[in-house]
Amino acid sequence: MLSKKQNILVAALQLFSAEDYHGVSTNKIAKAAGVSEGLIFKHFTNKEGLLQAIVDEGEQRIALMFSSLLKETHPQSILDMYISAPFEVQENEYDFWRLQFKLKWHDKYYNPKKLDNIKSKITYAFEELGYAFPKEEAEALIFLIESISIGILRDGKAKHNHQKAFLLKKYKQQNQDIHDNS
Amino acid sequence: MLSKKQNILVAALQLFSAEDYHGVSTNKIAKAAGVSEGLIFKHFTNKEGLLQAIVDEGEQRIALMFSSLLKETHPQSILDMYISAPFEVQENEYDFWRLQFKLKWHDKYYNPKKLDNIKSKITYAFEELGYAFPKEEAEALIFLIESISIGILRDGKAKHNHQKAFLLKKYKQQNQDIHDNS
DNA sequence: ATTTATAGTAAGTGATTACTCACTTATGTT
DNA sequence: AACATAAGTGAGTAATCACTTACTATAAAT
């Protein structure tokens, strides 16, 4: 069983991911969490403090999620793992990711440096595989996977499975010789 | 000089694109537009009617924007035009596009069929150019351009110009023979 | 000239908002 | 046992919310 504090965090995450920040009242959160409204302010000072707590928890969660990718050294595996990543996400984590993508529009909560180490890892993989423009390839792939992730969150995995297969094939080692098109 | 009705639409678009729907009060809109709050309800019935009016206006605007692309028949030109599209957008249209992307999270205002004719146009281009998986290539390119568009809206064009050059090169006809990697 | 309709305003309305405060209950600590 | 501290509640609060209403000004239509 969860603590009441955790109940608040879970309920707030669910609501914030479904509606917008100002559309979710503290009253609604309290009812969904089964606690008194005042408790929210005891634990998180104010409504924004609650959102910040959710964001902070999220940063750790993301770091954990990509830790195995960052440990990987085999270039082809790095690409395969990264392409597959959005399809490995459990459905009960969708709320969390929906909120993450929504917050990208708020300068306050968007930290572009969060992806820097992943970006350099992907760049490294493209370098090793002999691509002519590894940095650009990495950026393009990251963008592409981001869009697919959003698509999955909206329509479900099933509708995007063929794209996974397509991309895994497209970025296979065997094609390496063709990338240096100078 | 704009009519007061248009003033409301302009002010609301700007505010809705910057904050979330419930975070923008009708009072704030009225002040920004320089009209009385009541006038909003005279013209648009309620707050949602105002948003709907903005969305409706937007659909036309998008149709207009892609009309030249849909008329194009030369496959390579189709790809070039589509890749360049987000870089052709004027800065004073950024608010409009920001709102469009934000609304993608609201089932109510998101219409996936809106892009169907563009998708088939891009697919056609890839077919003509001899790509092995034209449908998948089209989907991937559309996703990629969508992500880049979001990036531009957040960081400005300058930060993404090298991606434009990279993609134009990557999708050049001369590479066609390499795509059929069966 | 009088009606009709539209554009526009200012001052409201009850409901809801984020947040506070006085208070009670539970959990340790010495 | 006594005491401090944290967890939790429920009834407030002023401010703000979307929206309404009664009203005036303008202008075209009969």
Side-chain angles (χ1 to χ4, degrees):
Chain A
M1 189 202 164
L2 297 168
S3 73
K4 294 206 168 186
K5 187 174 177 181
Q6 284 170 316
N7 281 342
I8 294 171
L9 286 167
V10 170
L13 170 60
Q14 194 268 311
L15 290 168
F16 282 146
S17 78
E19 301 172 59
D20 47 86
Y21 177 77
H22 290 96
V24 178
S25 68
T26 49
N27 181 306
K28 218 187 282 183
I29 296 169
K31 276 179 182 159
V35 301
S36 68
E37 207 177 337
L39 190 59
I40 293 173
F41 298 91
K42 271 274 154 65
H43 281 308
F44 306 101
T45 313
N46 52 32
K47 192 183 171 184
E48 250 200 60
L50 171 56
L51 179 57
Q52 188 62 60
I54 292 172
V55 170
D56 290 345
E57 226 186 35
E59 305 236 353
Q60 298 174 254
R61 209 155 150 181
I62 290 175
L64 188 78
M65 183 166 189
F66 286 113
S67 62
S68 60
L69 180 83
L70 292 172
K71 271 183 230 145
E72 182 61 58
T73 54
H74 183 54
Q76 188 61 56
S77 300
I78 292 170
L79 294 190
D80 289 353
M81 280 178 72
Y82 186 67
I83 290 168
S84 305
F87 297 91
E88 305 295 324
V89 174
Q90 308 289 335
E91 284 208 28
N92 58 20
E93 283 184 308
Y94 278 19
D95 282 343
F96 168 77
W97 284 103
R98 243 186 293 269
L99 182 60
Q100 289 294 319
F101 282 111
K102 271 191 168 188
L103 289 177
K104 283 211 165 193
W105 292 103
H106 292 267
D107 302 344
K108 194 171 174 182
Y109 298 105
Y110 175 63
N111 180 8
K113 287 179 183 171
K114 237 185 327 195
L115 285 172
D116 271 4
N117 46 4
I118 293 168
K119 186 173 162 185
S120 53
K121 194 83 190 181
I122 310 276
T123 305
Y124 156 83
F126 279 120
E127 275 170 7
E128 294 293 308
L129 292 170
Y131 281 64
F133 302 97
K135 190 169 147 274
E136 283 77 9
E137 293 279 1
E139 285 173 353
L141 182 59
I142 289 171
F143 273 151
L144 183 48
I145 293 301
E146 211 168 280
S147 263
I148 290 180
S149 303
I150 292 171
I152 291 175
L153 289 176
R154 196 164 37 222
D155 322 312
K157 281 177 201 178
K159 288 240 171 69
H160 296 274
N161 253 320
H162 66 289
Q163 290 166 336
K164 177 186 169 187
F166 169 66
L167 289 177
L168 284 174
K169 191 169 191 172
K170 190 171 180 180
Y171 286 102
K172 272 292 172 227
Q173 172 90 36
Q174 66 208 52
N175 306 330
Q176 122 171 52
D177 49 334
I178 66 178
H179 302 301
D180 199 348
N181 53 346
S182 54
Chain B
M1 190 201 162
L2 297 169
S3 74
K4 294 207 168 186
K5 187 175 178 180
Q6 284 170 314
N7 281 343
I8 294 170
L9 285 167
V10 170
L13 171 59
Q14 194 267 311
L15 289 168
F16 282 145
S17 78
E19 301 173 61
D20 48 83
Y21 177 76
H22 290 96
V24 179
S25 69
T26 50
N27 181 306
K28 217 188 279 186
I29 296 169
K31 277 180 180 158
V35 301
S36 67
E37 206 177 335
L39 190 59
I40 293 173
F41 297 91
K42 271 275 153 66
H43 282 308
F44 305 102
T45 314
N46 50 33
K47 192 183 171 183
E48 251 201 60
L50 171 56
L51 179 58
Q52 189 63 59
I54 293 173
V55 170
D56 291 346
E57 226 185 36
E59 306 236 352
Q60 298 174 252
R61 209 154 150 183
I62 289 175
L64 188 79
M65 183 166 189
F66 287 112
S67 62
S68 61
L69 180 82
L70 292 172
K71 272 183 229 143
E72 182 63 56
T73 54
H74 182 55
Q76 187 62 57
S77 300
I78 293 170
L79 296 190
D80 289 353
M81 279 178 74
Y82 186 66
I83 290 167
S84 305
F87 296 91
E88 305 295 322
V89 174
Q90 308 288 335
E91 285 208 27
N92 58 21
E93 283 183 307
Y94 279 18
D95 282 344
F96 168 78
W97 284 103
R98 243 184 294 267
L99 182 60
Q100 288 295 320
F101 282 111
K102 271 192 169 190
L103 288 176
K104 285 213 164 191
W105 292 103
H106 293 267
D107 303 345
K108 194 172 175 181
Y109 297 105
Y110 175 63
N111 180 9
K113 287 179 184 171
K114 237 184 328 194
L115 285 172
D116 272 3
N117 46 5
I118 293 168
K119 185 174 161 182
S120 54
K121 195 82 190 180
I122 311 276
T123 304
Y124 157 82
F126 279 120
E127 276 169 9
E128 293 294 308
L129 292 171
Y131 282 64
F133 303 97
K135 190 171 146 274
E136 284 76 10
E137 293 280 359
E139 286 173 353
L141 182 58
I142 289 171
F143 273 151
L144 183 47
I145 294 302
E146 214 168 276
S147 262
I148 290 179
S149 303
I150 293 172
I152 290 174
L153 289 176
R154 198 167 31 224
D155 322 311
K157 280 178 205 179
K159 289 239 171 71
H160 296 274
N161 253 322
H162 66 289
Q163 291 166 335
K164 178 186 170 188
F166 168 67
L167 289 177
L168 285 173
K169 190 168 192 173
K170 190 172 181 178
Y171 286 100
K172 273 292 174 227
Q173 172 91 35
Q174 67 208 50
N175 307 330
Q176 121 172 49
D177 50 334
I178 66 176
H179 302 302
D180 199 348
N181 51 348
S182 56

